[in-house]
Amino acid sequence: MNKAINIILLFATVFIAIGVFGDSSDAAIDDTFESGDFSYRVIYSGSYDHAVAVTGYTGSSLHMNIPDTVTYESIEHMVLYVDGTFYSNLSNEIVSIHFPKYLEDFSESRFDGFYSLESITVSTENDTFFAHDDALYKISGDDTLLLMCPQEKVGTHTIHEDTTHIMDYAFENCTRITTVDIPKNVSIVTISAFNGTDSLNAINVSEDNEKFASADGALYDDVNKTLIKYPLGKTASEYVVMDGTVTI
C-alpha cells in the first residue's frame, strides 16, 4: 500500500512541476540577443512553443540565409517573422536572401534598400511563402500574391501561373527588367506595381485573362477600358492606344 501511495505522489509531483514550470527556459518576450550572423527578438515564449523575429543581419556574406530555428536560453526557437526594424549594414550589397520554413510574415519595406538583390529563395517546407523565378510570393487563402521581385533581376520575369494579385511596389526600381508576362488568373494589379521599371519595354498578358489585356507591350484593364501602364523602356516615337480605350 505504501509503495502504491509513493508512486502516486511521485507522478503528482511530476505533473505539478510540468504545469507550474513548463520548461526550464528563462526567455522572455522582447528579449533581444545575437546568434550567428543575425540578431533576434523573442516574440513568444510559452510552455511548449517558442518563436523569434529576426531584427538584423551582422554577417559578412552577401548571400543572406535566415535559419529555420535559433537556440536561446537552451531552447530552440522558430524564426517566424522579419521585424519591422530589420537592419543590415550590407543592405545595398546583398545579392540573395533565403527565407526559412516557419516564416509567417514580414514587412516588405524592410528590403527597400537592397539595391543589389538578384534572387530570393524560400524553404520548400514553408506553407505561406514561396519563390518563383527569383521573386517572392505569398499564399493568402485562395489568393496568390506577388510581393517582391528583386531589384537586380535581369530580363524577363514570368509571373507564377497561380498568381491572382500583383501587389504594391512588386517591381519597384527593378531597372533591369525588360519584360513581364502576366498569366490568366491575375485579377488585381496595383498602380504602383511597376514604379521605376526604367528598362521595361513589354508587359504581356495571357489571352485567357478575363480582366487585363496587352497591346504592343502596354497593359490595359480590359473591363474598364483603361490604359494602366505604358512601359518606360519603350522607345517608339508614337503609340496608338487599343481600340475602345476610354481612360488613359
Side-chain angles (χ1 to χ4, degrees):
M1 176 66 73
N2 288 338
K3 183 176 181 180
I5 291 174
N6 288 336
I7 292 174
I8 292 172
L9 289 173
L10 176 62
F11 275 105
T13 302
V14 170
F15 285 127
I16 290 171
I18 291 174
V20 173
F21 298 109
D23 54 44
S24 60
S25 173
D26 292 324
I29 293 175
D30 288 332
D31 276 3
T32 58
F33 65 96
E34 292 188 3
S35 178
D37 290 336
F38 295 90
S39 56
Y40 300 91
R41 178 173 59 86
V42 176
I43 58 176
Y44 184 75
S45 186
S47 295
Y48 303 103
D49 295 321
H50 305 271
V52 297
V54 58
T55 58
Y57 177 62
T58 57
S60 58
S61 173
L62 300 184
H63 301 278
M64 191 173 76
N65 188 349
I66 302 174
D68 295 329
T69 61
V70 61
T71 299
Y72 175 60
E73 296 291 353
S74 303
I75 296 295
E76 188 175 56
H77 290 65
M78 298 179 293
V79 179
L80 291 188
Y81 186 67
V82 177
D83 197 82
T85 61
F86 183 87
Y87 174 78
S88 170
N89 59 3
L90 292 178
S91 295
N92 62 355
E93 300 177 52
I94 297 291
V95 297
S96 69
I97 299 175
H98 176 78
F99 290 110
K101 68 179 180 180
Y102 298 117
L103 185 73
E104 293 182 351
D105 206 358
F106 74 98
S107 171
E108 294 95 320
S109 63
R110 290 303 89 211
F111 301 100
D112 286 349
F114 284 60
Y115 304 122
S116 300
L117 191 62
E118 299 174 2
S119 69
I120 297 169
T121 58
V122 180
S123 168
T124 55
E125 297 179 73
N126 191 301
D127 295 327
T128 303
F129 297 95
F130 69 93
H132 169 73
D133 196 17
D134 298 318
L136 181 65
Y137 291 76
K138 181 178 182 179
I139 299 171
S140 179
D142 294 331
D143 296 319
T144 298
L145 321 177
L146 169 54
L147 297 181
M148 180 174 65
C149 185
Q151 293 188 15
E152 281 295 285
K153 171 72 176 175
V154 178
T156 298
H157 180 70
T158 300
I159 295 174
H160 191 276
E161 61 182 2
D162 294 333
T163 302
T164 56
H165 296 53
I166 301 176
M167 303 302 290
D168 286 334
Y169 314 114
F171 291 96
E172 185 176 43
N173 295 327
C174 291
T175 57
R176 304 179 71 183
I177 286 280
T178 56
T179 307
V180 173
D181 295 331
I182 297 177
K184 67 178 182 179
N185 292 320
V186 171
S187 59
I188 293 177
V189 178
T190 61
I191 295 175
S192 61
F194 296 98
N195 285 357
T197 50
D198 296 344
S199 299
L200 185 64
N201 55 50
I203 302 172
N204 303 317
V205 180
S206 167
E207 293 181 356
D208 296 324
N209 190 299
E210 298 179 355
K211 171 69 173 178
F212 299 102
S214 57
D216 195 19
L219 176 64
Y220 289 82
D221 181 330
D222 201 26
V223 174
N224 298 308
K225 307 301 179 185
T226 301
L227 172 59
I228 297 175
K229 180 68 177 181
Y230 182 80
L232 296 175
K234 288 184 71 67
T235 58
S237 58
E238 60 180 38
Y239 177 75
V240 179
V241 298
M242 188 168 65
D243 286 346
T245 301
V246 175
T247 305
I248 298 178

